[in-house]
Amino acid sequence: MDQKIKNTSRSTLFRRYCRKVHSHLSFFFVGAILVYAVSGIAMNHLKDFNPQYMIVVKDYKASGDYPQEQDFTKERVLDLLSAVGEEDNYTKHYYPNKSTMKVFLKSGSSFGLDTQTGEVKYEALKKRPIFSQLSFLHYNPGRWWTIFSDIFAICLIIICLSGIFMGNGRSGLKGIGGLELFAGALIPLLFLFLL
């Protein structure tokens, strides 16, 4: 009987220890978990949504008299670019045909001018707020982040294991918890073998 009481108190202490570890690590890493969860959803939908950048299209008529000849100076092009705040990103300009001037920009944006009408098609490549910063962490930005990510991954394993062992009875591994564990582990395995 004494042995049974000892075993019960040991398992109770172990579950209590698991709860504490699970709780403290969960609170500590909740920020990193949310960052990876939100950016992970965005990364899963790269075909539909670019979490890094967005393209803003702006069509307007440039100032000045048109039509004009294909003899734009760099200064004139910089003046045109200042209307969209891209004058510091100028690389060079060229004429793909008689009525079009295109400008290469360092920012990755695109600027095209119809030299006959003065119509401008400007496509601005802009960093997407919040998502670009969050998804940046998925690309392992440096040594210290690698160290933190490794610690985070180990602690996620501990969070999982402590969560598994902190329940007992019908809610634990011998009850519904065991079935849920099996079902949850089966889903990624099925995808691995079926894809």
Side-chain angles (χ1 to χ4, degrees):
M1 189 68 178
D2 288 341
Q3 187 63 37
K4 193 175 179 181
I5 292 168
K6 278 183 184 177
N7 288 342
T8 303
S9 73
R10 274 190 204 144
S11 65
T12 304
L13 282 172
F14 178 69
R15 283 195 305 278
R16 193 178 298 158
Y17 176 75
C18 285
R19 273 191 209 95
K20 282 186 179 179
V21 168
H22 187 87
S23 175
H24 289 300
L25 289 178
S26 295
F27 276 117
F28 184 82
F29 286 107
V30 73
I33 291 168
L34 289 172
V35 164
Y36 273 111
V38 171
S39 58
I41 290 168
M43 301 287 278
N44 281 342
H45 298 276
L46 286 175
K47 288 180 184 174
D48 312 307
F49 172 81
N50 185 336
Q52 294 282 328
Y53 298 98
M54 60 184 173
I55 296 173
V56 179
V57 178
K58 186 177 179 184
D59 295 321
Y60 67 95
K61 187 158 172 46
S63 60
D65 297 323
Y66 295 91
Q68 290 189 17
E69 297 298 319
Q70 294 182 1
D71 59 355
F72 284 81
T73 63
K74 181 181 175 182
E75 287 69 30
R76 174 73 177 119
V77 175
L78 291 176
D79 186 49
L80 287 166
L81 291 175
S82 67
V84 289
E86 291 277 9
E87 64 274 18
D88 293 334
N89 291 319
Y90 172 87
T91 304
K92 70 175 190 173
H93 65 283
Y94 73 105
Y95 300 91
N97 58 53
K98 288 181 180 178
S99 63
T100 307
M101 179 191 69
K102 293 228 172 204
V103 185
F104 285 117
L105 299 166
K106 292 176 198 168
S107 63
S109 300
S110 162
F111 185 94
L113 170 74
D114 186 319
T115 58
Q116 301 305 299
T117 64
E119 294 295 323
V120 172
K121 186 167 187 74
Y122 170 64
E123 292 184 356
L125 190 65
K126 304 284 185 189
K127 279 203 167 190
R128 196 178 290 279
I130 300 168
F131 282 103
S132 64
Q133 289 86 358
L134 295 182
S135 61
F136 175 68
L137 297 176
H138 277 277
Y139 297 106
N140 199 2
R143 183 173 176 269
W144 289 108
W145 184 253
T146 302
I147 292 167
F148 174 80
S149 294
D150 289 346
I151 293 167
F152 174 53
I154 292 164
C155 288
L156 278 178
I157 294 167
I158 295 168
I159 288 169
C160 290
L161 293 175
S162 61
I164 288 168
F165 292 115
M166 67 187 195
N168 69 333
R170 289 185 174 183
S171 63
L173 272 177
K174 293 178 183 176
I176 191 73
L179 293 173
E180 290 167 343
L181 175 65
F182 176 75
L186 190 62
I187 293 168
L189 290 174
L190 285 172
F191 274 96
L192 282 172
F193 289 113
L194 296 176
L195 292 179

